[in-house]
Structure formats: C-alpha cells, structure tokens
Amino acid sequence: MACPNPTTSLALFVLTIGYALNIVWAATSHTNAYATMMYMGTPRDYEFYVAIRVMLRSLAKLRVDADLVVIASNDVPTRWIHTMYVYGAKVVQVENLNNPYISDTSHDRFKLTLNKLYAWSLVEYERVIMLDADNLFLQNTDELFKCGQFCAVFINPCIFHTGLFVLQPSSKVFKDMLRDLDRRRDNLDGADQGFIGGHFPDLLDQPMFHPPLNDTKLDGTFRLPLGYQMDASYYYLRLRWSVPCGPNSVITFPGASWLKPWYWWSWPVLPLGIQWHQQRRETIGYDSEMPSVLIQVITYLCVIAIARLTRPNLTKLCYRGADKNLTIIQTSLEAIAILSIIISYVLPFMLVPHTVHPVLGWTVYLVGSFALSCLTSNVFLLPLLPVLTPWLGIIGVLIVMAGPWYTDGVVRVLSVFAYAFCASPVIWVSMGKIRSSLHVSLEREGFLPSRLGESTQSNGFNKLY
C-alpha cells in the first residue's frame, strides 16, 4: 500500500482542525464582531496578510467580547485561510465585488477594497466593527458595539475614514449598495472610502458618540471621537499622544502604502512602527523571515572575508591616452564603477524581507551594503573611506531620526534637515575623490590591454593584503 503524502496529510489535518473549530465557534459565537478583509491581486498581499494576523492576535490578547471575522475572497491561498482558523477567526469566503471605478484611480491596491461592503451582509451579528489591517489597538474598544447603525471617525475635517467604522448589518442596505455599484454612483476616490462616504453623506452633521452607561445600543448615525481612530501624524507632531476627544484607543497609518508600520525601512521615519512590531513579536513572531535573514548574513560575512583577505587583480597593461577607443572604455569603466557603488547600497535593501523587525532589517542592510562596498572598493582599486561615506551617512540618519531626546516633532524635522545640509557636502567631496581615484588607477595601471593580441598577466584573487 502506498504511503500517504506528508504534505497532503498535514493539509487535511489542518483543514479538519479548522472545521472542528468552526463547529465549536458556532456554539460559542458572540452577538458582535470585529471584521477585516483579505484579498489577492496586489504586490503587497503577503504584507497585509501578516498585518491581519498581528491585528487579530492583538484583539484576542485584549480579550474582546466579540467574534473575529475575516472576509476573504475565494482566491486567497488555502494555507492563509487555515492560519485564520488557528488564530481564532471565522472566515467568510466571498466573490470579489467588481469595482466600476477602477479606471478612475491610479492605485491598484484600491481595486478590491469594495469587498468591505460585505460587512453589511454579516446579518448574524447585531453590530460589526469593520477594520483595515493597519490599525494598532492600544486598548479594548468593545464599547463601540453600543453605537448606532453607522458610526465613523473624521480624521480628515470633511471626510470620515473607513479604516474603522461601526455598522449594523442589513441585507437591505447591502442590496442597496450593490445596486448603487451597478449604477456607478459618484465616487470621490474610486475606492471604498469614497463610495461609503457617498452612502452616508450627512454623517458630519450627526451627534458625537458617547458610550451609554448601561448595555443599551443606540439608534441612528454618530460621529466617533478622534481617539478611536488616531492618525499617526498626531503622534509625530508632539512625539506623544494628546488627543482630548475620546479614549486613545486605536492608531491608524493612512499615509503612503510603502510607509506602513510593518515595513522594516519605515522606522525610524515612523517611530510608532516599533510599537507595531512589539505587538507582532508578542503574537506571531518572525519565524517565516528568519531563514532568509540568516542566509543573507552568512553570505555577507563571507563577502567581507574575501574582500579583506584578497584583492581581485584585473588584467593590467599599459594605457595609451592617445587611443580614442581606450578613452571611451575608460569612461565606460568609470560609469560601471559608480553604478557598482550604487548597486552596493540598493541591492541589500531589496533583499531584506519586507516585514522583518526594523532593528534586524537595518542591521542586515548595513552589513550587506558594507560587504558589497568593500568588494567594489577592491575590484576598482578605490579608497575605502569615500566608498563607505554613504554608509556612514545612513548610520547618522538613523541616529538623528531615532534619537529619543526629541519632545517635539518640529524640532525633530529641523534636526533632520540640518543633518542633511551638513552631510551633503561630505558626500559630494567623497564622490569627487572616487572619480579622481578611478582616473588615476586607469591611467597608472590600465585595466585593459592596449592591443588585442598582447598577452595578459594572470588574474584572480592573488594579491593578499
């Protein structure tokens, strides 16, 4: 009898556990839910998958009195669905809603955000708090389930933010929204925020939500206090929270998509990224990124050892300055050397796993850029210090931006500008020294033969320091 495939057996086991958990949850379900959505089709699908895991685990850690629901499109990988089961979430799989406004927006990441409308179809719940993945919960927000049929926060003075809102599920409202989609009703941004904002246009004129002292649920629509959805920029202004309206419960990061808190490079540009990674470290850890990190570190250490012990000896024969062809080759080699220096700083940045811890990510990047810079310096016979000037400048930026001595965001920004103003001439002088050194090396030692038929010296790693 043939042995079963271990991978298939493991998948069946996890699937069985997931079904069993769903049976248990059906018997112990709550009347309210925290919900988020997960879909495929953008370059950042995995990053948002990690962010959803962290958010779900942080909500469970806060012991919220509600179900955790993930509205997942049918094309989400099965292994990701299984992970949601293990984390205690219910998964509702849906077909992607067609976005008729996709031609109106230049951001592909918004093309499937209208799946958020499925929150109104969760009619088994009395209230649902719909969430984006970039929310950082500081404390329990179960009191929001006492809000009315629709409640949201205005982090923009005139447009409420759909990164967190409270709703009462309703089949009628859901069908009305689908009908508006078919009619292609006006949409300010071509995404969920513009569409939902158009469906509740009078929210700005509604009263502020204040949690009732008893267990009753309010009727109607309400504005939520800013403390339930704090834009991270308020923190950066004073480097501390001072939001007087409502509890300081949830932080959101609505800025550029490449500066979300889970990206290692976003810190220290976003100081709050460390808090997000603190939640990740305490919940799901970094097991998925560590193998790649270890391989890169070992590789870079080997490159540093090679660059330290040997000097690549390129073929060196006489250089004839009157030869116009060799003049062109000299210019080309100078361009290649400059390009190699740039690659030494860009390539390690691209190889570091995007969602690794910032401290580890910057460490791996600095080790990698140092290793490749040393190798470039040896290959092109360049002085090491000018090649490493950008590397030293990056360390200086990290020190200036991450320093804990700032109490005011304006002072922090001015300090960064002052540092950039002082560092720019140093980098410019270093680039001049690199070009001068390249020119001298090419004229003195000649990287290429003057005649094609001329014999060459042996090359290789044969000149030890």
Side-chain angles (χ1 to χ4, degrees):
M1 184 173 63
C3 296
N5 187 309
T7 303
T8 303
S9 299
L10 179 60
L12 290 174
F13 172 75
V14 175
L15 185 60
T16 302
I17 293 297
Y19 288 151
L21 288 173
N22 274 332
I23 294 174
V24 173
W25 292 328
T28 60
S29 60
H30 298 80
T31 58
N32 302 306
Y34 288 89
T36 188
M37 63 178 178
M38 182 165 57
Y39 51 81
M40 306 298 293
T42 73
R44 301 177 179 87
D45 291 336
Y46 176 78
E47 286 85 347
F48 280 94
Y49 161 66
V50 172
I52 289 172
R53 291 166 60 193
V54 173
M55 186 173 65
L56 292 177
R57 290 298 294 269
S58 64
L59 285 170
K61 188 178 178 181
L62 290 171
R63 302 183 182 277
V64 295
D65 185 21
D67 285 345
L68 305 178
V69 178
V70 177
I71 301 172
S73 58
N74 287 328
D75 55 353
V76 171
T78 304
R79 65 183 184 279
W80 292 9
I81 298 296
H82 293 165
T83 303
M84 299 299 110
Y85 289 148
V86 174
Y87 285 177
K90 294 183 177 181
V91 179
V92 178
Q93 291 191 267
V94 299
E95 292 287 344
N96 289 324
L97 290 178
N98 179 50
N99 187 344
Y101 313 102
I102 191 62
S103 60
D104 299 339
T105 176
S106 59
H107 300 288
D108 288 342
R109 64 190 179 100
F110 293 144
K111 66 181 180 181
L112 294 176
T113 56
L114 287 173
N115 284 1
K116 194 175 291 186
L117 303 184
Y118 277 112
W120 273 271
S121 70
L122 303 176
V123 293
E124 64 269 31
Y125 298 106
E126 295 180 8
R127 294 289 189 275
V128 171
I129 299 176
M130 190 65 197
L131 304 167
D132 282 348
D134 58 352
N135 283 305
L136 178 64
F137 279 80
L138 304 181
Q139 58 186 358
N140 190 304
T141 58
D142 285 351
E143 69 272 14
L144 289 176
F145 292 121
K146 300 178 182 180
C147 201
Q149 279 68 38
F150 185 79
C151 310
V153 179
F154 284 81
I155 63 175
N156 178 296
C158 301
I159 303 174
F160 63 80
H161 188 236
T162 55
L164 181 152
F165 58 88
V166 186
L167 64 105
Q168 180 182 11
S170 167
S171 297
K172 181 182 182 302
V173 174
F174 181 57
K175 291 178 182 178
D176 289 343
M177 288 181 167
L178 294 183
R179 193 177 301 112
D180 287 341
L181 274 182
D182 292 336
R183 296 172 179 171
R184 207 177 187 276
R185 192 193 63 203
D186 290 343
N187 188 333
L188 292 177
D189 59 7
D192 61 288
Q193 183 155 303
F195 183 85
I196 298 174
H199 198 84
F200 300 95
D202 59 346
L203 188 65
L204 185 60
D205 300 323
Q206 301 307 311
M208 187 73 71
F209 166 72
H210 297 285
L213 298 180
N214 52 30
D215 293 331
T216 61
K217 286 183 169 64
L218 302 177
D219 289 324
T221 55
F222 294 86
R223 289 178 292 125
L224 295 179
L226 187 61
Y228 287 111
Q229 183 78 153
M230 298 179 289
D231 189 330
S233 60
Y234 294 118
Y235 173 87
Y236 303 138
L237 288 176
R238 296 288 300 178
L239 298 180
R240 61 183 176 84
W241 289 116
S242 181
V243 180
C245 47
N248 289 229
S249 300
V250 186
I251 305 168
T252 188
F253 299 83
S257 59
W258 47 274
L259 275 180
K260 295 298 183 181
W262 46 83
Y263 294 129
W264 63 268
W265 60 77
S266 67
W267 179 84
V269 178
L270 303 180
L272 286 175
I274 287 293
Q275 292 193 27
W276 187 93
H277 280 277
Q278 177 69 14
Q279 285 202 9
R280 173 173 179 173
R281 187 183 64 81
E282 295 173 354
T283 53
I284 69 174
Y286 296 89
D287 292 343
S288 58
E289 288 90 352
M290 288 311 296
S292 175
V293 168
L294 291 175
I295 291 173
Q296 290 185 47
V297 170
I298 293 173
T299 302
Y300 293 144
L301 292 178
C302 291
V303 171
I304 291 174
I306 293 173
R308 179 69 182 87
L309 296 176
T310 63
R311 167 178 282 180
N313 185 13
L314 300 180
T315 302
K316 302 179 180 68
L317 294 176
C318 62
Y319 167 75
R320 295 181 179 180
D323 194 324
K324 294 183 179 179
N325 291 331
L326 286 183
T327 301
I328 296 176
I329 294 176
Q330 176 188 354
T331 303
S332 300
L333 282 173
E334 288 183 358
I336 292 173
I338 298 298
L339 180 62
S340 298
I341 295 174
I342 295 174
I343 292 175
S344 299
Y345 288 97
V346 174
L347 183 61
F349 184 91
M350 299 174 62
L351 295 179
V352 177
H354 292 175
T355 54
V356 76
H357 192 281
V359 174
L360 185 58
W362 279 109
T363 300
V364 174
Y365 169 72
L366 289 172
V367 172
S369 56
F370 179 85
L372 296 184
S373 296
C374 290
L375 188 61
T376 300
S377 174
N378 282 0
V379 168
F380 293 97
L381 308 177
L382 300 174
L384 183 59
L385 184 58
V387 175
L388 287 178
T389 297
W391 187 83
L392 296 172
I394 292 172
I395 294 178
V397 169
L398 294 176
I399 294 174
V400 170
M401 296 190 69
W405 44 80
Y406 301 112
T407 58
D408 189 293
V410 176
V411 175
R412 179 173 180 261
V413 170
L414 292 176
S415 300
V416 172
F417 275 109
Y419 175 80
F421 179 80
C422 296
S424 297
V426 177
I427 295 177
W428 181 261
V429 171
S430 297
M431 292 300 296
K433 289 184 178 180
I434 290 173
R435 295 193 62 183
S436 175
S437 178
L438 268 173
H439 187 75
V440 171
S441 297
L442 287 167
E443 284 195 345
R444 181 176 299 170
E445 301 185 61
F447 279 81
L448 295 172
S450 59
R451 295 191 302 271
L452 294 177
E454 193 171 9
S455 61
T456 62
Q457 297 179 12
S458 62
N459 52 51
F461 296 90
N462 60 358
K463 188 178 288 186
L464 298 178
Y465 281 131

